[in-house]
Every structure is written in structure tokens, then in C-alpha cells.
């Protein structure tokens, strides 16, 4: 899976990491739907950390379509309420 952090770079994630990212995504949806901004912030930070810390960054000159685009790290809770709905950023199979 190719993931872009909006306004930043792209990363390649293994299937195992993609599953972990999807789990965090689903938990972010639950937090947003429950109006729990603090929990959302914690989970979204974990999403960014997973991608940056364990994903493999793509070279700047490698052009690949992203499977998932994470919102910018400074997303507001109001913006998150539009992004993290239903199946979240990563559709379930």
C-alpha cells in the first residue's frame, strides 16, 4: 500500500502495516463519531507515527499513485469529522 501524508511525502507499507493502519483508521472514526477529540488526536498521531516510523519512504523522483492520503498532521477536529466517517480513509474489504 502506498500512503501519502498530505503536504508531505509518500511511504510504502507492507500488508501487516496496512492492517494496523486500517485498525487505527477505524478507531479514529469511532473517536470522531463519539465526539472524543483527545482520543482522535492520540490515534491520528499514532497513524502518522506508524507511517513515518515503519513505512519505507519513496524516493522524491518516484511517481506512484497513492492508495491512501492521510490528512495533514494539523487537521482540525471539525475537518476530521468530514474525513473520518463510515469506513474511514481505508475502505474495509
Amino acid at each position: 500500500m502506498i500512503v501519502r501524508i498530505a503536504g508531505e511525502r509518500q511511504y510504502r507499507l507492507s500488508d501487516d502495516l496496512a492492517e494496523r493502519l486500517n485498525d487505527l483508521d477505524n478507531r479514529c472514526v469511532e473517536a470522531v463519531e463519539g465526539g472524543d477529540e483527545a482520543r482522535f488526536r492520540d490515534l491520528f498521531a499514532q497513524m502518522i507515527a506508524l507511517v513515518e516510523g515503519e513505512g519505507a519512504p519513496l524516493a522524491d523522483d518516484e511517481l506512484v499513485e497513492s492508495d491512501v492520503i492521510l490528512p495533514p498532521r494539523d487537521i482540525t477536529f471539525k475537518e476530521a469529522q468530514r474525513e473520518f466517517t463510515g469506513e474511514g480513509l481505508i475502505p474495509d474489504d
Side-chain angles (χ1 to χ4, degrees), residues 41-90:
R41 293 253 168 249
D42 178 55
L43 291 165
F44 186 62
Q46 289 180 49
M47 290 178 79
I48 297 284
L50 175 73
V51 171
E52 282 184 325
E54 299 187 48
L58 271 59
D60 290 338
D61 61 350
E62 187 175 353
L63 300 175
V64 179
E65 184 176 349
S66 299
D67 297 301
V68 175
I69 301 175
L70 295 183
R73 59 184 76 228
D74 63 349
I75 186 172
T76 67
F77 192 62
K78 189 171 190 113
E79 291 168 335
Q81 290 172 318
R82 290 191 301 266
E83 297 282 338
F84 290 87
T85 62
E87 294 184 335
L89 303 174
I90 306 168

Side-chain angles (χ1 to χ4, degrees), residues 8-19:
E8 299 180 30
R9 63 184 317 162
Q10 290 181 299
Y11 298 84
R12 187 179 314 276
L13 270 60
S14 67
D15 290 345
D16 176 55
L17 292 176
E19 284 183 33

Side-chain angles (χ1 to χ4, degrees), residues 22-43:
N22 189 31
D23 177 60
L24 289 167
D25 178 42
N26 290 335
R27 292 167 58 197
C28 277
V29 170
E30 292 172 5
V32 167
E33 289 178 349
D36 190 340
E37 183 173 355
R39 184 166 179 251
F40 164 75
R41 293 253 168 249
D42 178 55
L43 291 165

